[in-house]
Amino acid sequence: MRYFTLVICLFCMAFAATAAKADRRVAFVVGNGAYRNVAALPNPPIDARAMASALRNVGFEVVEGTNLTRDKMTERLLDFGKKAQNADVAVFFYAGHGIAISGTNYLLPIDADIKSEMDVKLGAAINIDLTLDQTMGDAKVKLVFLDACRDNPFAAKIKSNSATRSVSVQTGLAEMKSGEGTLIAFATGPGQTALDGQEGANSPFTRALLANITAPGVEIQQAMTRVRAQVNEETNKSQLPWGHTNLIGSVYLNGAPAAAPAGTSAAPSAPAAVASAPGTDVELEFWRSIKDSNKPEELNAYLTNYPNGQFRSLALSRIASLESGPSTTTRNLTTGIDPATFTEEATQVTEDQIGLDKGQRRDVQRRLNGLGFDTKITGKFDESTRVVITRWQAARGYPKSGYLNRLQHKALLTEIVATTPSANSSDDEGRPARRRASSGGGGGGAPARSSHGGGDPAGAGRFIGGVVGGMFR
């Protein structure tokens, strides 16, 4: 009898363990690219097929579609909504065109032909907020991935047909907040546009998702940290995925790490705890990817993922300065910027036409420094300065060349610099003269401050500038 009871107990334990693992997972995966009334996007269908395959491999039932009309998208969404009721994990992935009008985001079926705001409101596009609420509201964990931040292809039509009333037609998608148990991830920040990638391949955002979110034993928020770092690196810092999360527990799409054997003193197994530890390579890369940002939500994303991170105080100081001062407009500043700034190429010729003297070049370098793009203030545009100019152009959405034109120079002058302009000064041409004056001779030479104290004042200036700059990046 005792043996029989033991067998029954073991059977019950095995059944309970199997039931615990057999959580219900449902995903909606759609990629729209073959648009009929605007330029086609070659990669979203490729992105969707790859994502559907990856999710099936980790146990998801996938409602899938590519190049869907309004009616077909509605059919798939109704099917997904039924399957997602009381699901343990529901995933919503969309690649294709998305637009934002008056702060509301919409997804575009391939037959969308939008001429006015009224077309959108009457159903030519899919309202994301309503869709997520209706299809995923009952799921315990909701993960939303929107690779849909391309330029609004209907913006010109909507604006031209709304001359008598104010309509806000935004670039990229608008910010969205997540409810309890929800993670929302965008391919790039609010109001910015994302890259579609090379034709016939995955977009940078989808490629990073595929590489990280179903990695064995990786918690989803740690995976998204890696996604941000990968996209930021792959696009030369011109695209930084953004998101909002209200998850209330650890979420693994491909198995949690195995628990340490009894009696051992292994490190905590939860990746989220590991990710929060200061000094990790992932944390450092994440910080580098957002340290130049003037968007509080990106800095808050760092604090969410690394509440005790080594850059916590810098992030908090930066957020405080953004919320209390006018410098909130320094990144991707578009108000008052000539639209041609985003399209006109810059070359050595266009830069020569500006006629910058040495003092004006130093001013450009000071401003770049103050905006968080570290460079020496020499008055000479050497290779390192060209690299920094390219980074600034990429961050603002201007054509990247490393050279300036009149429009870009004017745009730079309008940006509000957050740091003191003289901290990182180093005039290479002046150094030899100062060394000669201090070493012997020559009446009327420059003061001997460069040899005073056995240190390198320029190096000290760079150190102080780096510390001060770090507080405002």
Side-chain angles (χ1 to χ4, degrees), residues 191-216:
Q192 302 176 47
T193 55
L195 302 174
D196 195 35
Q198 295 182 349
E199 185 171 346
N202 295 122
S203 75
F205 181 57
T206 296
R207 182 161 44 251
L209 289 175
L210 293 169
N212 293 285
I213 64 172
T214 60

Side-chain angles (χ1 to χ4, degrees), residues 358 426-436 446:
K358 185 175 181 180
S426 172
D427 189 338
D428 290 340
E429 291 184 357
R431 283 181 181 173
R434 287 197 293 270
R435 283 197 292 269
R436 286 193 298 270

Side-chain angles (χ1 to χ4, degrees), residues 355-366 377-381 426-431 434:
L356 300 174
D357 59 26
K358 185 175 181 180
Q360 290 170 316
R361 287 172 182 258
R362 289 170 64 89
D363 180 62
V364 167
Q365 291 168 327
R366 287 192 187 98
I377 302 172
T378 63
K380 295 188 297 184
F381 285 179
S426 172
D427 189 338
D428 290 340
E429 291 184 357
R431 283 181 181 173
R434 287 197 293 270

Side-chain angles (χ1 to χ4, degrees), residues 103 105 129 132 144 174-180 182-184 186 242-246 296-297 300:
N105 294 319
D129 290 313
L132 298 179
V144 181
E175 181 177 352
M176 292 171 61
K177 297 292 186 182
S178 58
E180 183 178 311
T182 303
L183 178 147
I184 299 176
F186 294 86
W242 178 89
H244 193 274
T245 179
N246 262 324
E297 61 267 19
N300 276 316

